Amino acid sequence: MASFSHTHLLTNLLFLFSLLCFSSAARKLTSLDKKQSPSDHFKYHKGHLLTGNISINLIWYGNFSSSQRSIISDFITSLSSSPSSSLSSSSKPRMSNPSVGTWWKTTEKYYSLINSKKPSSLFLSMGDQIFDENSSLGKSLVTKQIEGLASKGGQSNAINVVLTSSDVTVDGFCCSRCGAHGSLTGKTNHKFAYIWVGNSETQCPGQCAWPFHQPIYGPQSPPLVAPNNDVGLDGMVINLASLLAATATNPFWNGYYQGAASAPLEAGSACPGVYGKGAYPGYAGDLLVDAATGASYNAHGVDGRKYLLPALLDPSTSSCSTLV
């Protein structure tokens, strides 16, 4: 089975690896530099973007509670949902503004740049869920095993998302990556996209769940309160959101990216550590705060959910686009 994958780092903190954790696949994420040569700028490389109706299948590996699973599944549902100010005739679930759906609309600009007169569209929906609560492959996985788990989901018009629990280690996890996206050649000889994200709560929350945990390196500021009261899962949402944007706009490594194809900056990784206006290293930005819980967030989801989502690169302005 042919496969390709890219690693994803949550913030610019992750390039400060120890020699023990050093990996040649690791890459340092930095914001776009206007002084770079034009050949290095974020651009379209003439390949396919994901289009049409795409199901997101979730493969749960390890022990997750029902409340943890609902945090992720509600986020997926929220991607295609409408703000409450939209027309009431719509059958989509409703959310307050700023919303997860509004955040996702930034990716539409990538499609418009390819064909402004008749841009393609992408509609994401919740697909199947597969559970491996007993961790049938063990508690220490390598990339090939992640790919095998990803292949268990549907392979037609789908993104298969492998989610590993807090007691499962994955090759490179915490040392050089918080998650990854890639593509595999399926049973019908067609490529399909996959994502892997790990729960860092007990392994490296300062790397993969910042700003909900004290960072290991860099400026030390108090951690923010997680909007769903789960540092690990709220961190997973941040990484999953970033990887979904990267998968949609660069699914097969010839879409939108900056730099080398083997270690690209993508739509979801070009603005590390930025969640709101005024962000700087160690400060996530000016965010909304829940008056009842003190939790920080920047997006509303379905059923009253709140999430913190990363800034995405706006390809029309080459700047970081935030909801707040």
Side-chain angles (χ1 to χ4, degrees), residues 202-254:
T202 61
Q203 298 182 52
C204 57
Q207 291 173 305
C208 295
W210 186 86
F212 303 127
H213 191 279
Q214 200 83 11
I216 295 177
Y217 307 106
Q220 297 294 305
S221 55
L224 304 180
V225 178
N228 295 287
N229 197 33
D230 191 314
V231 170
L233 267 292
D234 279 299
M236 291 183 80
V237 168
I238 290 173
N239 291 303
L240 176 57
S242 178
L243 288 163
L244 279 170
T247 299
T249 57
N250 189 31
F252 309 118
W253 306 283
N254 53 9

Side-chain angles (χ1 to χ4, degrees), residues 76-269:
I76 299 301
T77 302
S78 300
L79 288 167
S80 58
S81 300
S82 304
S84 56
S85 58
S86 299
L87 296 176
S88 59
S89 60
S90 173
S91 61
K92 297 179 181 178
R94 310 232 162 261
M95 303 172 290
S96 300
N97 270 318
S99 71
V100 174
T102 302
W103 172 84
W104 183 250
K105 281 185 175 295
T106 299
T107 62
E108 294 178 0
K109 296 183 180 182
Y110 289 83
Y111 296 80
S112 297
L113 288 178
I114 296 175
N115 187 341
S116 60
K117 293 183 178 180
K118 192 177 180 181
S120 300
S121 60
L122 171 63
F123 180 81
L124 300 178
S125 61
M126 187 66 190
D128 296 329
Q129 298 192 58
I130 298 171
F131 306 97
D132 189 342
E133 295 179 305
N134 295 323
S135 303
S136 62
L137 301 178
K139 296 295 184 72
S140 181
L141 304 181
V142 297
T143 298
K144 282 293 184 183
Q145 291 171 308
I146 293 293
E147 293 173 351
L149 290 169
S151 299
K152 293 180 180 295
Q155 300 176 3
S156 177
N157 299 318
I159 301 172
N160 291 338
V161 178
V162 178
L163 303 160
T164 52
S165 61
S166 60
D167 60 342
V168 174
T169 63
V170 177
D171 184 33
F173 186 42
C174 295
C175 294
S176 63
R177 57 184 184 169
C178 300
H181 81 93
S183 69
L184 298 167
T185 301
K187 300 173 183 177
T188 59
N189 213 32
H190 291 288
K191 288 183 178 180
F192 68 94
Y194 79 92
I195 291 171
W196 157 70
V197 178
N199 184 348
S200 67
E201 182 178 14
T202 61
Q203 298 182 52
C204 57
Q207 291 173 305
C208 295
W210 186 86
F212 303 127
H213 191 279
Q214 200 83 11
I216 295 177
Y217 307 106
Q220 297 294 305
S221 55
L224 304 180
V225 178
N228 295 287
N229 197 33
D230 191 314
V231 170
L233 267 292
D234 279 299
M236 291 183 80
V237 168
I238 290 173
N239 291 303
L240 176 57
S242 178
L243 288 163
L244 279 170
T247 299
T249 57
N250 189 31
F252 309 118
W253 306 283
N254 53 9
Y256 281 99
Y257 64 87
Q258 172 187 326
S262 59
L265 278 178
E266 300 172 297
S269 61

Side-chain angles (χ1 to χ4, degrees), residues 31-38 40-42 258 313 317-320:
S31 57
L32 293 181
D33 186 349
K34 294 182 180 179
K35 295 182 180 179
Q36 289 177 310
S37 66
D40 288 333
H41 287 174
F42 204 90
Q258 172 187 326
L313 182 76
T317 62
S318 293
S319 62
C320 296

Side-chain angles (χ1 to χ4, degrees), residues 58 60 67-77 126 161 163 233 236-237 240 305 307:
L58 303 180
W60 300 92
S67 61
Q68 288 180 320
R69 292 196 292 266
S70 66
I71 292 171
I72 299 292
S73 60
D74 285 349
F75 168 67
I76 299 301
T77 302
M126 187 66 190
V161 178
L163 303 160
L233 267 292
M236 291 183 80
V237 168
L240 176 57
R305 287 282 188 193
Y307 295 103

